[in-house]
Amino acid sequence: LKIRHRFVKWLCPHIACSLEQLQTIRTSPRPMILFAQKYFAGRQDLRGIEIGVAVGDNSLSILKELAVDKLFLIDPYVPYEFDGRIWDASADYAIAHTKLAEYPQVVWLRKTSESAIREFQNEEAFDFVYIDGNHSYESVKKDITLYYSLIKNNGLIGGHDYTPYTESVMRAVNEFAEEAKLELHTVFPDWWFIVRISTHELEEGLRLEREHKRREKVVISSSPKWLSRMTNLEKNRCEGCGKELVVGDYVVSRTHTIGGQKKPYHRKC
């Protein structure tokens, strides 16, 4: 009986301490956001992405703690399966939308992260990405791989739930760190990398950007002959949306993989 009492006396303060820590984790800015606050000190034009918004608590923390010019919030708000359970956060959208309504820099994308990546083809590079979506190994690894390429040199990519309770997240993060030879930073329960782009990669990126701009066609002139020479397609329609090309449209000429024939698209398509 004395041993049991001693054990309870020892255990109670530890339980109280753990509960206090959990409450702190739930209410305070998360560790990566606190790190970003110091890391980006003095910056007033940050551009970021959060994958997995739920009720918007972390999004609100980002907007309060960082000087964000634009924050893309990605969450499909549809049921999904993880760890043998069905997770349904569809009702959370209304809560999050109301909570973040006063922030004009927020851009909502109710899509999966894999679908939303297409929205950033013509966007500038981002300063940070925070990942807290589907916690399956495949999803976390895919999110890191897809969105790593959107980060500026010396930007941050990281996320939540790097804990033994979500082993799938730890495995995906550790693998990517090893494959990309990155230094992994962890403060329970967050993880993050500082993106370092080599001089060669920067030069190659600039070369590809110049090449992309060189291939873009100018605005269609008023000359019917020029318009007819632009493509052999009948009625000169955009291959993307099917609408007829008219004077003033900004057109990009793309080479199809099948047949190698160049066909016109509106730039937005």
Side-chain angles (χ1 to χ4, degrees):
L1 186 61
K2 289 184 179 180
I3 294 175
R4 186 177 67 182
H5 286 173
R6 288 175 184 172
F7 176 73
V8 171
K9 188 176 179 180
W10 172 86
L11 183 63
C12 286
H14 286 77
I15 293 175
C17 180
S18 299
L19 290 173
E20 185 179 352
Q21 289 176 342
L22 287 172
Q23 184 65 20
T24 302
I25 290 168
R26 287 176 61 86
T27 58
S28 300
R30 293 178 180 176
M32 177 183 158
I33 308 308
L34 291 174
F35 175 82
Q37 187 182 47
K38 296 178 181 178
Y39 185 76
F40 293 124
R43 290 281 306 276
Q44 299 295 321
D45 56 348
L46 297 175
R47 291 164 50 81
I49 298 172
E50 183 183 24
I51 299 173
V53 181
V55 296
D57 287 340
N58 189 58
S59 310
L60 185 62
S61 177
I62 290 172
L63 291 162
K64 286 182 175 181
E65 302 298 329
L66 305 178
V68 177
D69 181 59
K70 185 175 284 190
L71 179 63
F72 288 87
L73 300 180
I74 301 171
D75 198 317
Y77 287 102
V78 295
Y80 67 95
E81 183 178 355
F82 170 66
D83 200 23
R85 293 173 56 190
I86 300 297
W87 299 77
D88 186 1
S90 54
D92 291 346
Y93 173 71
I95 300 172
H97 197 272
T98 301
K99 190 177 294 183
L100 305 173
E102 64 180 276
Y103 294 93
Q105 58 267 57
V106 166
V107 180
W108 287 95
L109 294 175
R110 288 193 65 176
K111 302 180 177 183
T112 64
S113 55
E114 191 172 3
S115 298
I117 192 77
R118 302 184 184 95
E119 301 291 331
F120 305 118
Q121 291 179 353
N122 296 319
E123 288 283 342
E124 297 176 17
F126 290 88
D127 296 288
F128 66 91
V129 171
Y130 191 91
I131 299 171
D132 190 19
N134 190 323
H135 284 21
S136 70
Y137 162 79
E138 294 78 12
S139 295
V140 176
K141 188 72 177 290
K142 185 181 295 182
D143 284 345
I144 301 173
T145 303
L146 287 176
Y147 284 82
Y148 182 84
S149 62
L150 299 183
I151 308 296
K152 293 179 181 178
N153 187 34
N154 294 318
L156 302 177
I157 184 169
H160 197 232
D161 289 319
Y162 186 87
T163 75
Y165 306 107
T166 46
E167 186 274 336
S168 54
V169 174
M170 295 184 70
R171 183 156 64 97
V173 171
N174 291 342
E175 279 188 11
F176 190 87
E178 185 176 351
E179 292 166 2
K181 294 179 173 58
L182 295 169
E183 181 182 358
L184 174 61
H185 301 263
T186 62
V187 176
F188 183 86
D190 277 10
W191 62 272
W192 63 89
F193 305 125
I194 299 175
V195 176
R196 308 290 191 191
I197 303 175
S198 67
T199 304
H200 172 73
E201 289 174 320
L202 286 171
E203 291 175 351
E204 180 66 12
L206 291 171
R207 185 190 69 78
L208 291 173
E209 185 178 355
R210 289 194 298 268
E211 181 69 12
H212 174 72
K213 289 181 178 179
R214 187 181 67 80
R215 290 181 179 180
E216 288 184 345
K217 299 296 181 182
V218 296
V219 177
I220 297 176
S221 71
S222 58
S223 167
K225 289 184 179 179
W226 190 94
L227 185 60
S228 64
R229 286 200 304 269
M230 185 184 66
T231 174
N232 294 325
L233 293 176
E234 294 182 3
K235 298 183 180 179
N236 297 311
R237 293 187 179 276
C238 170
E239 280 292 300
C241 63
K243 294 181 180 179
E244 187 173 356
L245 299 170
V246 297
V247 174
D249 282 350
Y250 198 98
V251 175
V252 178
S253 178
R254 298 176 184 169
T255 304
H256 275 216
T257 54
I258 301 175
Q261 182 182 5
K262 287 190 174 182
K263 297 186 178 182
Y265 289 78
H266 287 115
R267 187 176 183 179
K268 64 181 181 181
C269 297

